[in-house]
Amino acid sequence: MSSILTGIFERHSDYKRLENEVETSGFENSDYIVYLLEDHPHSQYMASVQIRDNEQLTTAQNIFHQNSVVKTYLFENMSIEQASYSNIKKYIDARCRAEIHSSPDVRIKVQHDGINSEVKS
């Protein structure tokens, strides 16, 4: 079964350019989906590409990076028919909740003894 590579793109990225590059690199029109918000034409958008082998994965990743991808997700054993916006969003939300985010450097202050009984007067 195939996999789905999904990317979240920056606001200034041009989804038409992404579509063109995906199609000229050998993917069919039925192999990808671009998710757009109708009421916000210049907002962030997502795109999913159906991947069948490692070569296609590398090609799609390169295209995504050239088009200002912010974050990518690979969903294995999923077809493009299963990659509806609500389904993909549900999986991304679950992965984000499961990620352990790195915390800032924490300094632990150790308690010192101060003056103890060994000090002679």
Side-chain angles (χ1 to χ4, degrees):
M1 182 172 232
S2 61
S3 299
I4 299 294
L5 179 68
T6 299
I8 300 173
F9 296 84
E10 291 185 9
R11 295 185 199 295
H12 72 285
S13 178
D14 182 12
Y15 75 91
K16 290 287 190 188
R17 178 179 164 218
L18 174 73
E19 288 177 340
N20 185 36
E21 290 181 19
V22 167
E23 287 185 16
T24 58
S25 67
F27 291 98
E28 298 293 323
N29 189 26
S30 60
D31 289 338
Y32 72 93
I33 301 172
V34 176
Y35 313 94
L36 300 172
L37 296 174
E38 291 180 17
D39 51 340
H40 297 79
H42 298 293
S43 64
Q44 278 187 317
Y45 65 93
M46 290 189 334
S48 293
V49 178
Q50 183 167 286
I51 306 296
R52 293 185 181 85
D53 57 32
N54 285 336
E55 184 180 328
Q56 284 188 336
L57 177 61
T58 303
T59 302
Q61 286 174 329
N62 289 338
I63 293 169
F64 279 17
H65 286 292
Q66 292 170 1
N67 285 278
S68 304
V69 72
V70 175
K71 180 101 173 157
T72 59
Y73 300 90
L74 182 64
F75 302 105
E76 296 180 355
N77 300 321
M78 182 184 284
S79 67
I80 199 72
E81 291 81 22
Q82 298 169 313
S84 67
Y85 178 77
S86 60
N87 201 19
I88 292 292
K89 188 169 179 338
K90 179 178 69 173
Y91 283 117
I92 289 174
D93 288 344
R95 283 200 184 168
C96 287
R97 282 191 302 271
E99 280 183 4
I100 298 174
H101 298 283
S102 60
S103 62
D105 291 337
V106 178
R107 293 185 182 174
I108 299 174
K109 200 172 188 180
V110 284
Q111 184 178 4
H112 55 74
D113 292 335
I115 299 176
N116 59 23
S117 63
E118 295 178 2
V119 177
K120 295 183 181 178
S121 48

